[in-house]
Amino acid sequence: MSKLILIWSVVILFSSCEETKRVFIADHLVNCEGVAPQKCMLYKESITDDWSFFYDTIEGFDYEEGYAYELEIEVSQLENPPADGSSLHYSLVKVISKEKEESIGQNVTTEDQKTQENDIIGVEYQALTRATFFQVNINNDKIKKTTDRNFKNSDSKKCSKKDWNSITTLVDAIALEKISQLKAPSGKRLFDGAAHAQLKITSQNKTYTSSSFDHGNPPKEIEQLVNTILSLSESIE
């Protein structure tokens, strides 16, 4: 009896170290920084989640850029993980779906990404109604916000390298030439139900301006960038 209990204990121990998950993988790679600068996949565990950087590899998964994936993977604990690496091991169970993506927000070539990364010097988010005004400006040096239409009063803080890398990485995933074509998902601003919002991205040679959208509900192609800008502005005391 004790031998049987021991066997089941071992089985339970090993099974508890493994987990099967369904994950989504984006159709493009982005710049990220682990031990050194590298290219990362973007992943999420629910279709409604925001994308997150995936710094590891998935054993048995042959990634092809330009295709979005839904995968079933097995996640297990490494017995002796490297000092500068992950303690988890990922392996492919099966590819549930593989679909070619043509999204405006993701249809960016590698060469375009390099150009955008090198050229971007600042981003601006503005939201206003007849009674209120809010603007955030971020560059590689400073994060600044104001509620003063005359720009006489503002608050600011230093923009860290990590924060600026987050901004430029998200910009890399957007086709800047097409953001003026993005359709707002709602129209509350048209009857004062929401503030009119707009995103501007400035490069060395040009400013890319989005069409107007409701504050709090941006087009999905720029949603993560807008949310990151707002999150950074909230960190200013």
Side-chain angles (χ1 to χ4, degrees):
M1 181 68 176
S2 59
K3 185 176 181 180
L4 182 59
I5 293 174
L6 177 61
I7 292 172
W8 274 109
S9 298
V10 172
V11 170
I12 292 171
L13 175 63
F14 278 93
S15 63
S16 65
C17 296
E18 297 180 352
E19 181 182 4
T20 300
K21 290 185 176 183
R22 286 196 174 195
V23 298
F24 298 89
I25 304 293
D27 69 307
H28 61 286
L29 301 175
V30 293
N31 295 316
C32 59
E33 193 161 346
V35 179
Q38 64 186 82
K39 288 283 188 180
C40 286
M41 293 188 293
L42 293 171
Y43 88 103
K44 54 186 176 181
E45 295 183 11
S46 169
I47 195 69
T48 58
D49 291 344
D50 290 334
W51 292 110
S52 299
F53 294 157
F54 188 80
Y55 293 92
D56 296 290
T57 58
I58 301 173
E59 183 182 353
F61 176 46
D62 186 14
Y63 177 77
E64 185 177 357
E65 196 161 12
Y67 289 86
Y69 295 84
E70 183 179 359
L71 308 176
E72 184 176 328
I73 63 172
E74 185 177 89
V75 186
S76 57
Q77 290 280 345
L78 291 175
E79 191 172 333
N80 296 301
D84 57 355
S86 172
S87 62
L88 299 176
H89 174 262
Y90 302 87
S91 59
L92 179 68
V93 176
K94 66 179 178 180
V95 176
I96 298 170
S97 66
K98 176 183 178 181
E99 298 181 0
K100 190 168 182 63
E101 291 287 329
E102 299 293 345
S103 166
I104 285 177
Q106 298 172 346
N107 188 19
V108 185
T109 65
T110 302
E111 194 59 38
D112 289 337
Q113 288 178 337
K114 290 179 180 178
T115 301
Q116 291 180 183
E117 179 189 6
N118 293 334
D119 286 348
I120 296 304
I121 59 174
V123 296
E124 176 188 300
Y125 178 82
Q126 187 179 98
L128 70 158
T129 65
R130 285 176 287 186
T132 63
F133 179 84
F134 174 72
Q135 187 180 92
V136 184
N137 287 277
I138 303 177
N139 58 37
N140 66 348
D141 179 60
K142 186 180 294 184
I143 303 169
K144 183 171 70 173
K145 70 176 179 180
T146 183
T147 55
D148 181 1
R149 292 177 188 266
N150 298 315
F151 302 104
K152 292 182 179 180
N153 299 299
S154 63
D155 297 299
S156 64
K157 64 176 284 188
K158 182 174 177 58
C159 182
S160 68
K161 182 179 178 181
K162 179 181 177 183
D163 289 339
W164 183 242
N165 284 342
S166 296
I167 292 293
T168 56
T169 296
L170 291 170
V171 170
D172 283 350
I174 301 170
L176 298 183
E177 295 287 353
K178 298 181 179 180
I179 66 169
S180 62
Q181 304 171 24
L182 299 178
K183 293 183 178 180
S186 55
K188 293 181 179 180
R189 67 196 180 284
L190 303 177
F191 51 87
D192 292 336
H196 286 258
Q198 196 168 57
L199 173 69
K200 293 182 181 180
I201 301 172
T202 303
S203 71
Q204 295 285 355
N205 303 310
K206 186 174 180 179
T207 296
Y208 304 89
T209 304
S210 75
S211 54
S212 176
F213 54 89
D214 291 351
H215 176 57
N217 192 24
K220 65 178 182 178
E221 292 87 352
I222 59 173
E223 183 177 13
Q224 281 190 262
L225 176 59
V226 168
N227 289 344
T228 299
I229 292 170
L230 294 176
S231 177
L232 291 176
S233 74
E234 290 171 0
S235 68
I236 299 175
E237 296 179 356

Coordinates of all heavy atoms in Angstrom, one line a residue, residues 51-133:
W51 N -1.2 42.4 -25.7 CA 0.0 41.7 -26.0 C 1.1 41.9 -25.0 O 1.3 43.0 -24.5 CB 0.5 42.1 -27.4 CG -0.4 41.7 -28.6 CD1 -1.1 42.6 -29.3 CD2 -0.7 40.4 -29.1 NE1 -1.9 41.9 -30.3 CE2 -1.6 40.6 -30.2 CE3 -0.2 39.1 -28.8 CZ2 -2.0 39.5 -30.9 CZ3 -0.7 38.1 -29.5 CH2 -1.6 38.2 -30.6
S52 N 1.9 40.8 -24.8 CA 3.1 40.9 -23.9 C 4.3 40.3 -24.7 O 4.1 39.5 -25.6 CB 2.9 40.0 -22.7 OG 1.8 40.5 -21.9
F53 N 5.5 40.8 -24.3 CA 6.7 40.2 -24.9 C 6.9 38.8 -24.5 O 6.7 38.4 -23.4 CB 7.9 41.0 -24.5 CG 7.9 42.5 -24.9 CD1 8.6 43.4 -24.3 CD2 7.2 42.9 -26.0 CE1 8.7 44.7 -24.7 CE2 7.2 44.2 -26.5 CZ 7.9 45.1 -25.8
F54 N 7.3 38.0 -25.5 CA 7.7 36.6 -25.2 C 9.2 36.4 -25.5 O 9.6 36.4 -26.6 CB 6.9 35.6 -26.1 CG 7.1 34.2 -25.7 CD1 6.4 33.6 -24.6 CD2 7.9 33.3 -26.4 CE1 6.5 32.3 -24.2 CE2 8.1 32.0 -26.1 CZ 7.4 31.5 -25.0
Y55 N 10.0 36.3 -24.4 CA 11.4 36.4 -24.6 C 12.0 35.0 -24.9 O 13.2 34.9 -25.3 CB 12.1 36.9 -23.3 CG 11.8 38.4 -23.0 CD1 10.7 38.8 -22.2 CD2 12.6 39.4 -23.6 CE1 10.4 40.1 -22.0 CE2 12.3 40.7 -23.3 CZ 11.3 41.1 -22.5 OH 11.0 42.4 -22.3
D56 N 11.2 33.9 -24.7 CA 11.7 32.6 -24.9 C 11.4 32.0 -26.2 O 11.0 32.7 -27.1 CB 11.1 31.7 -23.8 CG 11.6 32.1 -22.4 OD1 12.7 31.9 -22.1 OD2 10.7 32.6 -21.6
T57 N 11.7 30.7 -26.4 CA 11.3 30.0 -27.6 C 10.4 28.9 -27.2 O 10.3 28.5 -26.1 CB 12.6 29.4 -28.3 OG1 13.2 28.5 -27.4 CG2 13.5 30.5 -28.7
I58 N 9.6 28.4 -28.3 CA 8.7 27.3 -28.1 C 9.3 26.1 -28.9 O 9.3 26.2 -30.1 CB 7.3 27.6 -28.5 CG1 6.8 28.9 -27.7 CG2 6.3 26.4 -28.3 CD1 5.4 29.4 -28.2
E59 N 9.7 25.1 -28.2 CA 10.3 23.9 -28.8 C 9.3 23.3 -29.8 O 8.1 23.0 -29.4 CB 10.7 22.9 -27.8 CG 11.4 21.7 -28.4 CD 11.8 20.7 -27.4 OE1 11.7 21.0 -26.1 OE2 12.3 19.6 -27.7
G60 N 9.7 23.0 -31.0 CA 8.8 22.4 -32.0 C 8.0 23.4 -32.8 O 7.3 23.0 -33.7
F61 N 8.0 24.7 -32.5 CA 7.2 25.7 -33.1 C 8.0 26.4 -34.2 O 9.0 27.1 -33.8 CB 6.6 26.7 -32.1 CG 5.8 27.8 -32.7 CD1 4.9 27.6 -33.7 CD2 6.0 29.1 -32.3 CE1 4.2 28.6 -34.3 CE2 5.3 30.2 -32.8 CZ 4.4 29.9 -33.8
D62 N 7.6 26.3 -35.4 CA 8.3 27.0 -36.5 C 7.6 28.3 -36.9 O 6.6 28.2 -37.7 CB 8.4 26.1 -37.7 CG 9.3 26.6 -38.8 OD1 10.0 27.6 -38.6 OD2 9.2 26.1 -40.0
Y63 N 8.0 29.4 -36.3 CA 7.3 30.6 -36.4 C 7.5 31.2 -37.8 O 8.6 31.3 -38.3 CB 7.7 31.7 -35.4 CG 7.1 33.0 -35.5 CD1 5.8 33.2 -35.1 CD2 7.8 34.1 -36.0 CE1 5.2 34.5 -35.2 CE2 7.2 35.3 -36.2 CZ 5.9 35.5 -35.8 OH 5.3 36.8 -35.9
E64 N 6.4 31.7 -38.5 CA 6.6 32.4 -39.8 C 5.9 33.8 -39.6 O 4.7 33.9 -39.4 CB 5.9 31.6 -40.8 CG 6.0 32.2 -42.2 CD 5.4 31.3 -43.3 OE1 4.9 30.2 -43.0 OE2 5.4 31.7 -44.5
E65 N 6.7 34.8 -39.8 CA 6.2 36.2 -39.6 C 5.2 36.5 -40.7 O 5.3 36.0 -41.9 CB 7.4 37.2 -39.7 CG 7.0 38.5 -39.2 CD 8.2 39.4 -38.8 OE1 9.3 39.0 -39.2 OE2 8.0 40.4 -38.2
G66 N 4.1 37.2 -40.3 CA 3.1 37.5 -41.2 C 1.8 36.7 -41.0 O 0.8 36.9 -41.6
Y67 N 2.0 35.7 -40.0 CA 0.8 34.8 -39.7 C 0.6 34.9 -38.2 O 1.5 35.0 -37.4 CB 1.1 33.4 -40.0 CG 1.2 33.1 -41.5 CD1 2.3 33.3 -42.3 CD2 0.0 32.7 -42.2 CE1 2.3 33.1 -43.6 CE2 0.0 32.4 -43.5 CZ 1.2 32.6 -44.3 OH 1.2 32.4 -45.6
A68 N -0.7 35.0 -37.8 CA -1.1 35.0 -36.4 C -1.5 33.5 -36.1 O -2.1 32.8 -36.9 CB -2.3 35.9 -36.2
Y69 N -1.1 33.1 -34.9 CA -1.3 31.7 -34.4 C -2.1 31.6 -33.2 O -2.1 32.5 -32.3 CB 0.1 31.1 -34.2 CG 1.0 31.0 -35.3 CD1 1.8 32.0 -35.7 CD2 1.1 29.8 -36.0 CE1 2.7 31.9 -36.8 CE2 2.0 29.6 -37.1 CZ 2.8 30.7 -37.5 OH 3.6 30.5 -38.5
E70 N -2.8 30.5 -33.1 CA -3.3 30.1 -31.8 C -2.7 28.7 -31.6 O -2.8 27.8 -32.4 CB -4.9 29.9 -31.8 CG -5.4 29.5 -30.5 CD -7.0 29.4 -30.5 OE1 -7.6 29.7 -31.5 OE2 -7.5 29.0 -29.4
L71 N -2.1 28.5 -30.4 CA -1.3 27.3 -30.2 C -1.8 26.7 -28.9 O -2.2 27.3 -28.0 CB 0.2 27.6 -30.0 CG 0.9 28.4 -31.1 CD1 2.3 28.7 -30.7 CD2 0.9 27.7 -32.4
E72 N -1.5 25.4 -28.8 CA -1.6 24.7 -27.5 C -0.2 24.3 -27.2 O 0.5 23.6 -28.0 CB -2.5 23.4 -27.7 CG -2.6 22.7 -26.3 CD -3.6 21.5 -26.4 OE1 -4.5 21.5 -27.2 OE2 -3.4 20.5 -25.7
I73 N 0.3 24.8 -26.0 CA 1.7 24.5 -25.6 C 1.7 23.9 -24.2 O 0.8 24.0 -23.5 CB 2.5 25.8 -25.6 CG1 1.9 26.8 -24.6 CG2 2.6 26.4 -27.0 CD1 2.8 28.0 -24.4
E74 N 2.8 23.2 -24.0 CA 3.1 22.7 -22.7 C 4.2 23.5 -22.0 O 5.2 23.7 -22.6 CB 3.5 21.2 -22.8 CG 3.7 20.5 -21.4 CD 4.0 19.0 -21.6 OE1 5.2 18.7 -21.7 OE2 3.1 18.2 -21.7
V75 N 3.9 23.9 -20.7 CA 4.8 24.7 -20.0 C 5.3 23.8 -18.8 O 4.5 23.3 -18.0 CB 4.2 25.9 -19.4 CG1 5.2 26.8 -18.7 CG2 3.5 26.7 -20.6
S76 N 6.6 23.7 -18.7 CA 7.2 22.9 -17.6 C 8.3 23.6 -16.9 O 8.9 24.5 -17.5 CB 7.7 21.5 -18.1 OG 8.6 21.7 -19.1
Q77 N 8.6 23.3 -15.7 CA 9.7 23.9 -14.9 C 11.0 23.2 -15.3 O 11.1 22.0 -15.4 CB 9.4 23.7 -13.4 CG 8.3 24.5 -12.8 CD 8.7 26.0 -12.6 OE1 9.9 26.3 -12.6 NE2 7.7 26.8 -12.4
L78 N 12.0 24.0 -15.5 CA 13.4 23.5 -15.7 C 14.0 23.1 -14.4 O 13.9 23.8 -13.4 CB 14.3 24.5 -16.5 CG 13.9 24.8 -17.9 CD1 14.8 26.0 -18.4 CD2 14.1 23.6 -18.8
E79 N 14.7 22.0 -14.4 CA 15.3 21.5 -13.2 C 16.5 22.3 -12.8 O 16.7 22.7 -11.6 CB 15.7 20.0 -13.3 CG 16.1 19.4 -12.0 CD 16.3 17.9 -12.1 OE1 15.7 17.3 -13.0 OE2 17.1 17.3 -11.4
N80 N 17.3 22.7 -13.8 CA 18.5 23.5 -13.6 C 18.5 24.7 -14.6 O 19.2 24.7 -15.6 CB 19.8 22.7 -13.7 CG 19.9 21.6 -12.7 OD1 19.9 21.9 -11.5 ND2 19.9 20.4 -13.1
P81 N 17.7 25.7 -14.3 CA 17.6 26.8 -15.3 C 18.9 27.6 -15.3 O 19.6 27.7 -14.3 CB 16.4 27.7 -14.7 CG 16.4 27.4 -13.3 CD 16.8 25.9 -13.2
P82 N 19.2 28.2 -16.5 CA 20.4 29.1 -16.6 C 20.3 30.3 -15.7 O 19.1 30.8 -15.5 CB 20.5 29.4 -18.0 CG 19.1 29.3 -18.5 CD 18.5 28.1 -17.8
A83 N 21.4 30.8 -15.2 CA 21.4 32.0 -14.3 C 20.7 33.2 -14.9 O 20.1 34.0 -14.2 CB 22.8 32.3 -13.9
D84 N 20.9 33.4 -16.2 CA 20.3 34.6 -16.9 C 19.2 34.2 -17.8 O 18.8 35.0 -18.7 CB 21.4 35.3 -17.7 CG 22.1 34.4 -18.7 OD1 21.7 33.2 -18.7 OD2 22.9 34.8 -19.5
G85 N 18.5 33.1 -17.6 CA 17.4 32.7 -18.4 C 16.2 32.3 -17.7 O 16.1 32.4 -16.4
S86 N 15.2 31.9 -18.4 CA 13.9 31.6 -17.8 C 13.9 30.2 -17.1 O 14.7 29.3 -17.4 CB 12.8 31.5 -18.9 OG 11.6 31.0 -18.4
S87 N 13.1 30.1 -16.1 CA 13.0 28.8 -15.4 C 12.0 27.9 -16.0 O 11.7 26.8 -15.5 CB 12.7 29.1 -13.9 OG 11.4 29.7 -13.8
L88 N 11.3 28.4 -17.1 CA 10.3 27.6 -17.7 C 10.7 27.1 -19.1 O 11.5 27.8 -19.8 CB 9.0 28.5 -17.9 CG 8.4 29.0 -16.6 CD1 7.2 29.9 -16.9 CD2 7.9 27.8 -15.7
H89 N 10.2 26.0 -19.5 CA 10.4 25.4 -20.8 C 9.1 25.3 -21.5 O 8.1 24.8 -21.0 CB 11.1 24.0 -20.7 CG 11.2 23.3 -22.0 ND1 10.3 22.4 -22.5 CD2 12.2 23.5 -23.0 CE1 10.7 22.0 -23.7 NE2 11.8 22.6 -24.0
Y90 N 9.1 25.7 -22.8 CA 7.8 25.8 -23.6 C 8.0 24.8 -24.8 O 9.0 24.8 -25.5 CB 7.5 27.2 -24.1 CG 7.4 28.2 -23.0 CD1 8.5 28.9 -22.5 CD2 6.2 28.5 -22.5 CE1 8.4 29.8 -21.5 CE2 6.0 29.5 -21.5 CZ 7.2 30.1 -21.0 OH 7.1 31.1 -20.0
S91 N 7.0 24.0 -25.0 CA 7.0 23.1 -26.1 C 5.7 23.0 -26.8 O 4.6 23.1 -26.1 CB 7.5 21.6 -25.7 OG 6.6 21.1 -24.7
L92 N 5.7 22.9 -28.1 CA 4.4 22.9 -28.9 C 3.7 21.6 -28.7 O 4.3 20.5 -28.9 CB 4.7 23.2 -30.3 CG 3.6 23.2 -31.3 CD1 2.7 24.4 -31.0 CD2 4.0 23.2 -32.8
V93 N 2.4 21.6 -28.4 CA 1.5 20.5 -28.5 C 0.9 20.4 -29.8 O 1.0 19.3 -30.5 CB 0.5 20.5 -27.4 CG1 -0.5 19.3 -27.5 CG2 1.1 20.5 -26.0
K94 N 0.3 21.5 -30.3 CA -0.3 21.5 -31.6 C -0.6 23.0 -32.0 O -0.8 23.8 -31.2 CB -1.6 20.7 -31.7 CG -2.8 21.2 -30.9 CD -4.0 20.3 -31.1 CE -5.2 20.7 -30.2 NZ -6.3 19.9 -30.4
V95 N -0.7 23.2 -33.3 CA -1.1 24.5 -33.9 C -2.6 24.4 -34.1 O -3.1 23.6 -34.9 CB -0.4 24.8 -35.2 CG1 -0.9 26.1 -35.8 CG2 1.2 24.8 -35.0
I96 N -3.3 25.2 -33.4 CA -4.8 25.2 -33.5 C -5.2 26.0 -34.7 O -6.1 25.6 -35.4 CB -5.4 25.8 -32.2 CG1 -5.1 24.9 -31.0 CG2 -6.9 25.9 -32.3 CD1 -5.4 25.6 -29.7
S97 N -4.6 27.1 -35.0 CA -4.9 27.9 -36.2 C -3.7 28.7 -36.6 O -2.8 29.0 -35.8 CB -6.1 28.8 -35.9 OG -5.8 29.8 -35.0
K98 N -3.6 29.0 -37.9 CA -2.5 29.8 -38.5 C -3.2 30.6 -39.6 O -3.6 30.1 -40.6 CB -1.4 28.9 -39.0 CG -0.3 29.7 -39.8 CD 0.7 28.8 -40.4 CE 1.8 29.5 -41.1 NZ 2.8 28.6 -41.7
E99 N -3.2 32.0 -39.4 CA -3.9 32.8 -40.3 C -3.1 34.0 -40.7 O -2.4 34.6 -39.9 CB -5.2 33.3 -39.7 CG -6.2 32.2 -39.3 CD -7.5 32.8 -38.7 OE1 -7.6 34.1 -38.5 OE2 -8.4 32.0 -38.3
K100 N -3.1 34.3 -42.0 CA -2.3 35.4 -42.5 C -3.0 36.7 -42.1 O -4.2 36.8 -42.3 CB -2.2 35.3 -44.0 CG -1.2 36.3 -44.6 CD -0.9 36.0 -46.1 CE 0.1 37.0 -46.6 NZ 1.4 36.9 -45.9
E101 N -2.3 37.7 -41.6 CA -2.8 38.9 -41.1 C -2.5 40.0 -42.1 O -1.4 40.1 -42.6 CB -2.3 39.3 -39.7 CG -2.8 38.3 -38.6 CD -4.2 38.5 -38.3 OE1 -4.7 39.7 -38.4 OE2 -4.9 37.6 -37.9
E102 N -3.5 40.9 -42.3 CA -3.3 42.1 -43.2 C -3.7 43.4 -42.5 O -4.2 44.3 -43.1 CB -4.1 41.9 -44.5 CG -3.7 40.7 -45.3 CD -2.3 40.9 -45.9 OE1 -1.8 42.0 -45.9 OE2 -1.8 39.8 -46.4
S103 N -3.7 43.3 -41.1 CA -4.1 44.5 -40.3 C -3.3 45.7 -40.6 O -2.1 45.7 -40.7 CB -4.1 44.1 -38.8 OG -4.2 45.3 -38.0
I104 N -4.0 46.9 -40.7 CA -3.3 48.2 -40.8 C -2.2 48.4 -39.7 O -1.1 48.8 -40.0 CB -4.3 49.3 -40.8 CG1 -5.0 49.4 -42.1 CG2 -3.5 50.7 -40.6 CD1 -6.1 50.5 -42.2
G105 N -2.6 48.0 -38.5 CA -1.7 48.2 -37.4 C -0.5 47.3 -37.3 O 0.4 47.5 -36.6
Q106 N -0.5 46.2 -38.2 CA 0.5 45.2 -38.1 C 1.2 45.0 -39.4 O 2.2 44.3 -39.5 CB 0.0 43.9 -37.6 CG -0.6 44.0 -36.2 CD -1.3 42.7 -35.8 OE1 -1.6 41.9 -36.6 NE2 -1.6 42.6 -34.5
N107 N 0.8 45.7 -40.5 CA 1.3 45.5 -41.8 C 2.5 46.4 -42.0 O 2.5 47.3 -42.8 CB 0.2 45.8 -42.9 CG 0.7 45.4 -44.3 OD1 1.6 44.6 -44.4 ND2 0.1 46.0 -45.2
V108 N 3.6 46.1 -41.3 CA 4.8 46.8 -41.3 C 6.0 45.9 -41.7 O 6.2 44.9 -41.0 CB 5.1 47.5 -39.9 CG1 6.3 48.4 -40.0 CG2 3.9 48.3 -39.5
T109 N 6.7 46.3 -42.7 CA 7.9 45.4 -43.1 C 9.0 45.7 -42.1 O 9.1 46.6 -41.4 CB 8.3 45.8 -44.5 OG1 8.8 47.1 -44.5 CG2 7.2 45.7 -45.5
T110 N 10.0 44.7 -42.2 CA 11.2 44.9 -41.3 C 11.9 46.1 -41.6 O 12.4 46.8 -40.6 CB 12.1 43.7 -41.5 OG1 11.4 42.5 -41.3 CG2 13.3 43.7 -40.6
E111 N 12.0 46.5 -42.8 CA 12.8 47.7 -43.2 C 12.0 49.0 -42.7 O 12.6 49.9 -42.2 CB 12.9 47.8 -44.7 CG 13.9 48.9 -45.2 CD 15.3 48.6 -44.6 OE1 15.7 47.4 -44.6 OE2 16.0 49.6 -44.2
D112 N 10.7 49.0 -42.8 CA 9.9 50.1 -42.2 C 10.1 50.2 -40.7 O 10.2 51.3 -40.2 CB 8.4 49.8 -42.5 CG 8.0 50.0 -43.9 OD1 8.8 50.7 -44.6 OD2 7.0 49.5 -44.4
Q113 N 10.1 49.0 -40.0 CA 10.3 49.0 -38.6 C 11.6 49.7 -38.2 O 11.7 50.5 -37.2 CB 10.2 47.6 -38.0 CG 8.8 47.0 -38.0 CD 8.8 45.6 -37.5 OE1 9.8 44.9 -37.5 NE2 7.7 45.2 -37.1
K114 N 12.7 49.3 -38.9 CA 14.0 49.9 -38.6 C 14.0 51.4 -38.8 O 14.5 52.2 -38.0 CB 15.1 49.3 -39.5 CG 15.4 47.8 -39.2 CD 16.4 47.3 -40.2 CE 16.7 45.8 -39.9 NZ 17.7 45.2 -40.9
T115 N 13.4 51.9 -39.9 CA 13.3 53.3 -40.2 C 12.5 54.0 -39.1 O 12.9 55.1 -38.6 CB 12.6 53.5 -41.6 OG1 13.4 52.9 -42.6 CG2 12.5 55.0 -41.9
Q116 N 11.4 53.5 -38.7 CA 10.5 54.1 -37.7 C 11.3 54.2 -36.4 O 11.3 55.2 -35.7 CB 9.2 53.3 -37.5 CG 8.3 53.4 -38.7 CD 7.0 52.7 -38.5 OE1 6.2 52.6 -39.3 NE2 6.8 52.0 -37.3
E117 N 12.0 53.1 -36.0 CA 12.7 53.1 -34.7 C 13.8 54.1 -34.7 O 14.0 54.8 -33.7 CB 13.3 51.7 -34.5 CG 14.1 51.6 -33.2 CD 14.8 50.3 -33.1 OE1 14.9 49.5 -34.1 OE2 15.4 50.1 -32.0
N118 N 14.5 54.3 -35.8 CA 15.6 55.3 -35.8 C 15.1 56.7 -35.9 O 15.8 57.6 -35.4 CB 16.5 55.0 -37.0 CG 17.2 53.7 -36.9 OD1 17.4 53.2 -35.8 ND2 17.5 53.1 -38.0
D119 N 13.9 56.9 -36.4 CA 13.4 58.3 -36.7 C 12.5 58.9 -35.6 O 12.4 60.1 -35.6 CB 12.7 58.3 -38.0 CG 13.6 58.2 -39.2 OD1 14.8 58.4 -39.0 OD2 13.1 58.0 -40.3
I120 N 11.8 58.1 -34.9 CA 10.8 58.6 -34.0 C 11.4 59.5 -32.9 O 12.4 59.0 -32.2 CB 10.0 57.4 -33.3 CG1 9.2 56.7 -34.4 CG2 9.0 58.0 -32.3 CD1 8.3 57.6 -35.2
I121 N 10.9 60.7 -32.7 CA 11.5 61.6 -31.7 C 10.5 62.0 -30.6 O 10.8 62.5 -29.6 CB 12.1 62.9 -32.3 CG1 11.0 63.6 -33.1 CG2 13.2 62.5 -33.3 CD1 11.4 65.0 -33.7
G122 N 9.2 61.7 -30.9 CA 8.2 62.0 -29.8 C 6.8 61.5 -30.2 O 6.5 61.3 -31.3
V123 N 6.0 61.4 -29.1 CA 4.5 61.1 -29.3 C 3.7 62.1 -28.5 O 4.2 62.6 -27.5 CB 4.2 59.6 -28.9 CG1 4.9 58.6 -29.8 CG2 4.6 59.4 -27.4
E124 N 2.5 62.3 -29.0 CA 1.6 63.3 -28.3 C 0.2 62.7 -28.3 O -0.3 62.2 -29.3 CB 1.6 64.6 -29.0 CG 0.7 65.6 -28.4 CD 0.6 66.9 -29.3 OE1 1.6 67.6 -29.4 OE2 -0.6 67.2 -29.7
Y125 N -0.4 62.8 -27.2 CA -1.8 62.4 -27.0 C -2.6 63.5 -26.5 O -2.2 64.2 -25.5 CB -2.0 61.2 -26.1 CG -3.4 60.7 -25.9 CD1 -4.0 59.9 -26.9 CD2 -4.2 61.1 -24.8 CE1 -5.4 59.5 -26.7 CE2 -5.5 60.7 -24.7 CZ -6.1 59.9 -25.6 OH -7.4 59.5 -25.5
Q126 N -3.7 63.8 -27.1 CA -4.5 65.0 -26.7 C -6.0 64.6 -26.6 O -6.5 63.9 -27.5 CB -4.4 66.1 -27.7 CG -5.0 67.4 -27.2 CD -4.8 68.6 -28.2 OE1 -5.6 68.8 -29.1 NE2 -3.6 69.2 -28.1
A127 N -6.7 65.0 -25.6 CA -8.1 64.8 -25.4 C -8.8 66.1 -25.0 O -8.3 66.7 -24.0 CB -8.4 63.7 -24.5
L128 N -9.9 66.5 -25.6 CA -10.5 67.7 -25.2 C -12.0 67.8 -25.5 O -12.5 67.1 -26.4 CB -9.8 68.9 -25.9 CG -10.1 69.1 -27.4 CD1 -9.8 70.5 -27.9 CD2 -9.2 68.2 -28.2
T129 N -12.7 68.6 -24.7 CA -14.1 68.9 -24.9 C -14.1 70.4 -24.8 O -13.1 71.1 -24.7 CB -15.0 68.3 -23.8 OG1 -14.6 68.9 -22.5 CG2 -14.8 66.8 -23.7
R130 N -15.3 71.0 -24.9 CA -15.5 72.4 -24.8 C -15.0 72.9 -23.4 O -14.6 74.1 -23.3 CB -16.9 72.9 -25.1 CG -17.3 72.8 -26.6 CD -18.7 73.1 -26.8 NE -19.6 72.0 -26.4 CZ -20.9 72.0 -26.6 NH1 -21.5 73.0 -27.2 NH2 -21.6 71.0 -26.2
A131 N -15.1 72.1 -22.4 CA -14.8 72.5 -21.1 C -13.5 72.0 -20.5 O -13.0 72.5 -19.5 CB -15.9 72.1 -20.1
T132 N -12.9 70.9 -21.1 CA -11.7 70.3 -20.6 C -10.6 70.1 -21.6 O -10.9 70.1 -22.8 CB -12.0 68.9 -20.0 OG1 -12.5 68.0 -21.0 CG2 -13.1 69.0 -18.9
F133 N -9.4 70.0 -21.1 CA -8.3 69.8 -22.0 C -7.2 68.9 -21.3 O -7.0 69.1 -20.1 CB -7.6 71.2 -22.4 CG -6.4 71.1 -23.2 CD1 -6.6 71.0 -24.6 CD2 -5.2 71.1 -22.7 CE1 -5.5 70.9 -25.5 CE2 -4.0 71.0 -23.5 CZ -4.2 70.9 -24.9

